[in-house]
Amino acid sequence: MRTSRSNSPLSVTEEAEPTTRRPYTLPAVSASRSRSDSTVSTRSNGTNLIDEGFHQSQQKISLLSQTSSALEECEWKIDADYIGQLPVEIAHHILYHCDYNTLLILSQVSRHWYWLTQDSALWRNLYITHPYWGTRRRKRRAPADVDYRYLYQQRHLLDRRWHNGDKQDRTVVGHADSIYCVQFDGEKIITGSRDRTIKCWDMQGKCIRTLTGHYASVLCLQYDEELMVSGSSDHTILVWSMRTFETVRRMRGHASGVLDVGFDNEIIASCSKDATIRIWGREDGELRRTLHGHRGPVNAIQFRGSRLVSASGDAVIKLWDIHTGQCLRDFVGHSRGLACIRFDGRRIVSGSNDNKIKVWDAETGECTLTCTGHTGLVRALHFDQDKIVSGSYDQSIRVWDIRTGKMLHNFQSCHSSWVFDVMFDDTKIVSTSQDQRILIMDFAHGMDTTHFG
């Protein structure tokens, strides 16, 4: 975003100060004009129109008239650039309290004001105190010489593109069958497919690695810098090294397909079509606990700390204590089976075969929001503090305001068949489908995102 600048300082007219000023005093108000009367008017036929609900004070009108007259006599004028006369440090301290649009306006006042508003520390403060950008965890620190004014403008442009739905689509192909799951970061995309393989792609869509090891469809996966965990229709869970991309171990225990997995630094959690949730040790792969309670397939799980949420085909969401195995609460509200769930420790967001998305308060169990609009099963979703992105059997990907439930975007015909998974970050949405394609919706096309973090 470019900002225009003035070619010359603002012209100021200098005027000599009057040599003498007489003090201004308010005149005494006569008693006859100090009372407040009802509004009275007279019709042409002599009858009075009375409005006892409206009163005006003659005294106030008189005072305003007197004050206006006195001010006209004073003829005071501001004839100095007070900001320009202040030390630079104090001027910058004042400008620190201005928002983005105000700074743009001030930069056009004069050459000196333009120079003041170009200070990188000023824009750095504006950037890191932004209500959304500054609160997100930064994966890397920006170098000391970064141009924060340019960085702020790029982020502002990115926000406008999300608001307007301004994106460029890119399709990646390579799997031989339906793609059930996806995860990505700034450097790579990893997908699992019905063709029994896991593929790693660079951000340009080139396949850089294919992993084999499962004997049936790869239904779910999750990775961090050290490990990747995948679940399959072959009833097993594979743990992979992200350094060598070799299999570390295979974990057996589920009696049917593994539908979702998740892990942290200590445990791995998995859920299955067999209606159970299993907790495993991350380091040794030993089964620590099995959670029973659902009456149907457990299609999705996610956990934060000691709390795990599960979504089942029985239309019930459960909140569990991982350490004790106790079910803490049931969330009932969907009318049909649940397909997906996300949890940030405070909010739960669920998608169902009733075509609805619901947001829940994890502590109270209250449903705080319902999003309607999809015309098919809500198969996948992802959310942050601003929005929810969902993918459905209706072949659309939709973006919702997480505070109001308003549908912000409805991206139709993204895929030619059911959408199976969706994920997003600050710059893009990535989705996968039964149509064997990976779709990348890039909102940062042509932008420098190096220091977005």
Side-chain angles (χ1 to χ4, degrees), residues 262-269 279-282 288 303 305 322:
F263 66 91
D264 62 11
N265 293 330
E266 297 182 359
I267 65 169
I268 297 171
I279 310 298
W280 318 76
R282 171 172 170 146
R288 294 186 179 180
F303 70 93
I322 293 177

Side-chain angles (χ1 to χ4, degrees), residues 238-452:
L238 287 181
V239 180
W240 311 75
S241 167
M242 287 298 287
R243 293 186 176 89
T244 65
F245 291 96
E246 297 291 331
T247 303
V248 176
R249 70 178 59 87
R250 185 186 299 269
M251 300 188 299
R252 294 180 172 88
H254 284 293
S256 191
V258 180
L259 303 179
D260 202 4
V261 293
F263 66 91
D264 62 11
N265 293 330
E266 297 182 359
I267 65 169
I268 297 171
S270 61
C271 64
S272 170
K273 189 177 178 181
D274 65 12
T276 69
I277 301 162
R278 293 178 181 256
I279 310 298
W280 318 76
R282 171 172 170 146
E283 296 301 323
D284 55 17
E286 293 295 321
L287 179 64
R288 294 186 179 180
R289 183 170 287 104
T290 301
L291 309 181
H292 298 274
H294 281 294
R295 295 174 297 167
V298 184
N299 292 314
I301 56 171
Q302 190 170 25
F303 70 93
R304 291 287 183 271
S306 64
R307 298 292 187 262
L308 179 146
V309 294
S310 57
S312 171
D314 63 13
V316 176
I317 300 168
K318 289 182 178 290
L319 176 67
W320 307 81
D321 185 312
I322 293 177
H323 298 319
T324 66
Q326 179 185 4
C327 179
L328 303 176
R329 179 176 288 110
D330 286 352
F331 301 79
V332 179
H334 284 289
S335 60
R336 302 187 68 181
L338 287 123
C340 52
I341 198 161
R342 304 293 291 180
F343 177 49
D344 65 1
R346 182 172 60 90
R347 286 176 299 194
I348 300 169
V349 183
S350 58
S352 167
N353 198 20
D354 63 11
N355 306 344
K356 296 176 182 177
I357 298 167
K358 288 183 179 290
V359 180
W360 311 80
D361 185 309
E363 290 300 319
T364 66
E366 177 188 3
C367 178
T368 60
L369 192 69
T370 300
C371 305
T372 59
H374 277 299
T375 57
L377 176 147
V378 182
R379 179 63 166 80
L381 57 81
H382 192 211
F383 77 93
D384 63 11
Q385 59 190 346
D386 305 319
K387 56 189 173 290
I388 303 168
V389 176
S390 58
S392 168
Y393 276 11
D394 64 15
Q395 304 178 20
S396 74
I397 295 171
R398 307 191 186 209
V399 183
W400 315 79
D401 187 314
I402 198 169
R403 299 174 185 85
T404 66
K406 178 183 178 183
M407 187 191 305
L408 303 177
H409 299 294
N410 179 4
F411 300 120
Q412 287 285 341
S413 303
C414 299
H415 291 277
S416 58
S417 189
W418 293 345
V419 178
F420 283 148
D421 204 3
V422 67
M423 180 181 176
F424 73 93
D425 65 5
D426 288 341
T427 64
K428 65 183 69 66
I429 300 172
V430 178
S431 59
T432 62
S433 168
Q434 185 173 263
D435 64 10
Q436 306 175 22
R437 298 188 305 142
I438 305 165
L439 177 64
I440 303 172
M441 300 183 185
D442 186 8
F443 292 86
H445 53 89
M447 294 175 57
D448 179 9
T449 62
T450 305
H451 303 304
F452 280 9

